[in-house]
Amino acid sequence: MNSSEIRKNFLDYFNKRGHAVVPSSSLIPDDPSVLLTTAGMQQFKKYYTGEADALKDFCSKSTASIQKSFRTSDIDEVGDESHLTFFEMLGNFSFGGYFKREAITYAHEFITKVMQLPISYVTVFEGSATVPKDEESRAIWQELGIVDIREEGMDDVFWGPTGTSGPCGPTAEIYCKNASGKDIEVWNIVFNQFMCSGSREELLSGNATLSPLDIFGIDTGMGLERLAMISQSTKTIFETDLFSPLMDLLPQSMDVRTKRIIADHARGTAFLLSEGVQPSNKERGYVLRRLLRRIIVHEYLAHETPFPLENILSAAVREYRGFYPELNEQTVLKEFATEKEKFLKTLKNGLKELQKLENLTPQNAFKLYESYGLPFEIIKEIGGDRAASLSRASFDEEFKKHQEISRAGLEKKFGGHGLLLDTGELKAKDEQELKIVTRLHTATHLLQQALRTVLGEAVSQKGSDITVERTRFDFSFDRKLMPEEIQEVEQVINDIIQKDLPVQKVELPIDEAKKTGALYFFSAKGGSASGGKEKYPDHVNIYFVGNSLEEAFSKEFCGGPHVTRTGEIGKVKIAKEEAVAAGIRRIRAVVE
Ligand code: GLY
């Protein structure tokens, strides 16, 4: 059966048995404690707990859906025969309607009669200290003629909860054989009987308690890709009609693991981008960035047998648009191009650095990520034997440590190096140098405002470092500046200098200061990029350039020192513009 037929037959089967067909919810869940939607039951959580009434909302106590799902826990496994990040989940649900007998009987009938597939074996819950063995399910399977019934424990046949607490319960699973004779779990039938006070991890470690739910519920999940593999008698999910149109576009000579990764990640990216997720260094955006960068690296490395990733992404949109009309080819290609341009700038150097390292440790792997944007997967993959002992957990640990360090580094450092002035941002050893860095400092304020005037508000300070030779200013911006833009920025600055405007200071309570629209940035030591929570004093100084705060050309929270009139600065010249990291540019400017 092709995948469109499977989707249709599934929904028809349950619809005929009184289930309201509910569309897939977004990949971005309502529940803020969950990053992405990982299961069909998520959108129905409140019907299990009794916070909402299914009969009122769906005119039925049972529903069926095909849910877009995304699991990051499997990301390191992608490339084998069955793991995916994005997948489609077929599910039927009951909220205080039917329970074990009907749920097992429906599943059995759908697999054996509608799909006409033999069941290899099933599982039931073996019991734990707090939840009894599932004798009832065993008896139902036996009545249906299943001979091979296996008992398993909490790790395998106990579902949930998703997020920080929620409904959960023992499950029963159906296994079928694929074309290579391997038993594949196709369907998970959850008997929601408990409310769990904590997360799944807390439950498994004995740190959460279960209390019986008032409403018993059914929640099932069946991966469409796996079911298609069994039905289409293929050896892996990648040979089914859900993947073959994408796999066929990849070079014959490419190794099969890489092909699978690209096909999986292209599909995931197309869905995430169409849902409005944007690549970033945080949460969902970080997941998306990892997928994108991994496939961009593979495209880059396959230059001898080029395959345009754009074609794969377009094919993913084309293949799925019929069922998921939210897929938007234009958005996908545009966002892909932006990320690719950003990443390619640092990728080559990152790969060079990676090749130089004899042993990949969590520390140097994190450095490769931080400086060149290389994702963990790539470091692991390209590192080969040199990365054998590098684990995701150790890399994540390093990531966390770094975030803590950068928060701690936000404290300003003063003095201590035999310098006349050291604010962290400005350094001068004597009076003469102090005069020059003061001019450069005011010039830096003008530079930031000029960049915003010319390039827009996306520009914000990421760091600044001023010595007697130059000012070095880092800011967010996602591409190289054009020569005309650099010229225009210089022009804007030098016009303000020509006008010889006053540079003034006001002290305001922090809340009022923020309302003035003045820019603020608390620099870490040496002006490296900020992060974490900044602590402001009760009162702050704003330095502004112009006759009044309201009409000022530039205004910033700042501790000084500055010149008293812009005319003192002299002429500002931009000496260099370059990338420091993905999405961050650096300008060096001098005063003449
Ligand atoms: N919620 C059941 C499953 O995802 O397997």
Side-chain angles (χ1 to χ4, degrees):
M1 220 180 264
N2 72 35
S3 50
S4 312
E5 288 164 340
I6 300 178
R7 286 193 196 101
K8 183 172 178 324
N9 282 331
F10 181 83
L11 294 177
D12 284 352
Y13 176 88
F14 283 101
N15 193 225
K16 280 197 193 117
R17 284 154 187 82
H19 293 65
V21 171
V22 178
S24 171
S25 66
S26 163
L27 275 172
I28 304 168
D30 282 341
D31 182 349
S33 70
V34 188
L35 207 57
L36 291 160
T37 299
T38 58
M41 61 82 67
Q42 258 162 275
Q43 67 164 321
F44 301 121
K45 237 171 143 173
K46 55 184 188 279
Y47 300 103
Y48 293 111
T49 56
E51 290 159 74
D53 182 356
L55 212 47
K56 209 164 114 215
D57 292 354
F58 307 118
C59 297
S60 171
K61 281 188 178 174
S62 32
T63 60
S65 71
I66 296 174
Q67 176 66 49
K68 297 180 278 189
S69 306
F70 196 106
R71 292 191 183 168
T72 48
S73 54
D74 291 340
I75 212 163
D76 293 329
E77 257 77 52
V78 175
D80 70 3
E81 295 183 355
S82 61
H83 283 93
L84 293 171
T85 55
F86 172 84
F87 63 101
E88 291 173 83
M89 181 101 106
L90 314 176
N92 56 294
F93 310 89
S94 162
F95 321 102
Y98 61 84
F99 201 49
K100 287 189 186 174
R101 173 162 298 277
E102 293 87 341
I104 290 177
T105 311
Y106 286 151
H108 179 266
E109 186 178 38
F110 183 77
I111 292 289
T112 58
K113 301 272 156 48
V114 180
M115 298 300 299
Q116 303 203 350
L117 298 170
I119 290 176
S120 177
Y121 70 91
V122 300
T123 60
V124 295
F125 186 56
E126 68 183 8
S128 71
T130 46
V131 184
K133 186 175 174 138
D134 191 356
E135 300 286 8
E136 191 185 348
S137 294
R138 171 182 279 281
I140 300 167
W141 288 122
Q142 269 166 350
E143 278 176 46
L144 290 167
I146 302 290
V147 185
D148 193 348
I149 304 170
R150 305 185 187 181
E151 287 180 2
E152 279 174 15
M154 289 293 276
D155 277 351
D156 296 304
V157 292
F158 196 96
W159 166 266
T162 57
T164 43
S165 66
C168 61
T171 79
E173 304 160 319
I174 297 180
Y175 283 76
C176 296
K177 283 201 190 308
N178 74 356
S180 28
K182 233 188 233 159
D183 287 317
I184 306 288
E185 179 203 328
V186 287
W187 209 336
N188 188 24
I189 304 156
V190 183
F191 311 117
N192 264 323
Q193 284 170 261
F194 302 102
M195 182 67 192
C196 180
S197 64
S199 66
R200 182 169 174 80
E201 290 68 35
E202 286 165 329
L203 176 66
L204 293 179
S205 61
N207 292 317
T209 51
L210 298 176
S211 47
L213 281 170
D214 292 334
I215 305 169
F216 276 16
I218 290 296
D219 151 29
T220 84
M222 174 159 57
L224 175 65
E225 293 78 2
R226 290 182 180 190
L227 186 61
M229 162 170 67
I230 313 284
S231 174
Q232 295 167 21
S233 294
T234 63
K235 288 187 176 156
T236 76
I237 51 180
F238 297 98
E239 289 135 32
T240 64
D241 66 332
L242 287 162
F243 278 103
S244 50
L246 308 187
M247 297 291 279
D248 290 348
L249 294 174
L250 292 164
Q252 288 248 308
S253 57
M254 183 179 267
D255 106 281
V256 68
R257 203 173 149 270
T258 309
K259 279 194 198 179
R260 291 170 182 167
I261 292 171
I262 293 170
D264 169 81
H265 286 16
R267 227 170 53 136
T269 329
F271 276 92
L272 289 175
L273 286 170
S274 297
E275 293 245 21
V277 180
Q278 295 219 321
S280 75
N281 291 335
K282 278 210 322 241
E283 300 171 352
R284 285 185 277 273
Y286 178 57
V287 173
L288 173 60
R289 175 161 279 169
R290 269 160 62 184
L291 300 188
L292 278 168
R293 292 194 167 182
R294 197 175 189 186
I295 58 178
I296 292 167
V297 174
H298 283 301
E299 183 186 44
Y300 175 81
L301 293 176
H303 52 265
E304 279 172 21
T305 42
F307 68 96
L309 269 175
E310 288 79 359
N311 293 355
I312 320 282
L313 290 165
S314 294
V317 173
R318 211 168 41 240
E319 290 299 318
Y320 286 89
R321 197 168 32 201
F323 199 75
Y324 299 101
E326 65 272 28
L327 284 172
N328 184 322
E329 186 172 4
Q330 221 183 340
T331 306
V332 172
L333 293 180
K334 185 171 149 266
E335 295 294 338
F336 171 73
T338 309
E339 182 66 11
K340 182 166 160 176
E341 195 193 327
K342 207 181 273 182
F343 184 40
L344 282 182
K345 287 192 186 126
T346 52
L347 173 63
K348 225 198 265 170
N349 290 335
L351 291 175
K352 244 190 252 156
E353 282 306 308
L354 172 56
Q355 293 308 0
K356 278 194 222 153
L357 295 166
E358 272 174 28
N359 184 20
L360 286 150
T361 62
Q363 290 73 26
N364 59 30
F366 179 75
K367 210 139 194 258
L368 288 172
Y369 164 73
E370 198 193 21
S371 315
Y372 304 101
L374 289 192
F376 170 80
E377 295 79 11
I378 293 303
I379 299 170
K380 185 88 186 143
E381 234 164 275
I382 300 187
D385 287 346
R386 294 172 297 141
S389 61
L390 179 68
S391 71
R392 159 86 61 196
S394 63
F395 180 82
D396 287 349
E397 190 58 33
E398 196 58 31
F399 197 116
K400 218 168 78 204
K401 224 187 297 168
H402 179 84
Q403 281 173 329
E404 280 157 17
I405 292 170
S406 91
R407 262 199 292 279
L410 285 170
E411 285 167 35
K412 263 192 169 183
K413 291 227 165 140
F414 287 95
H417 315 289
L419 295 170
L420 179 65
L421 177 80
D422 181 2
T423 67
E425 184 184 12
L426 273 71
K427 290 167 199 71
K429 72 174 187 296
D430 52 32
E431 286 295 332
Q432 208 186 346
E433 285 195 9
L434 180 61
K435 277 197 188 128
I436 302 172
V437 298
T438 303
R439 285 162 58 203
L440 278 164
H441 190 197
T442 312
T444 309
H445 280 215
L446 300 185
L447 170 64
Q448 169 156 226
Q449 186 50 48
L451 285 166
R452 288 166 69 90
T453 306
V454 175
L455 304 173
E457 309 232 315
V459 168
S460 74
Q461 178 167 348
K462 291 290 170 205
S464 143
D465 180 83
I466 302 172
T467 66
V468 71
E469 288 92 12
R470 48 88 186 131
T471 172
R472 194 186 75 195
F473 184 73
D474 295 348
F475 60 102
S476 55
F477 198 60
D478 56 12
R479 62 167 170 82
K480 190 166 179 54
L481 268 60
M482 290 180 288
E484 308 84 78
E485 288 170 329
I486 294 180
Q487 233 171 32
E488 206 186 330
V489 170
E490 281 178 345
Q491 186 69 49
V492 171
I493 299 170
N494 289 317
D495 280 353
I496 297 290
I497 292 173
Q498 279 275 303
K499 286 186 187 150
D500 197 25
L501 294 173
V503 181
Q504 308 182 66
K505 177 172 87 171
V506 280
E507 189 187 319
L508 290 173
I510 179 75
D511 290 336
E512 241 175 88
K514 282 186 176 169
K515 280 187 215 143
T516 64
L519 302 174
Y520 50 92
F521 167 79
F522 265 53
S523 73
K525 186 178 85 171
S528 66
S530 141
K533 295 188 192 81
E534 292 94 331
K535 274 218 168 29
Y536 297 104
D538 292 338
H539 284 73
V540 292
N541 286 330
I542 294 177
Y543 273 89
F544 64 94
V545 176
N547 290 314
S548 70
L549 186 57
E550 291 71 35
E551 289 168 16
F553 168 75
S554 137
K555 43 190 158 183
E556 282 189 37
F557 287 26
C558 184
H562 285 280
V563 298
T564 45
R565 299 195 76 91
T566 56
E568 293 165 44
I569 296 172
K571 197 166 176 219
V572 171
K573 177 120 198 56
I574 292 178
K576 196 167 179 190
E577 189 271 341
E578 63 186 329
V580 225
I584 302 184
R585 313 292 308 175
R586 169 169 289 180
I587 279 181
R588 285 171 212 270
V590 296
V591 285
E592 292 169 356

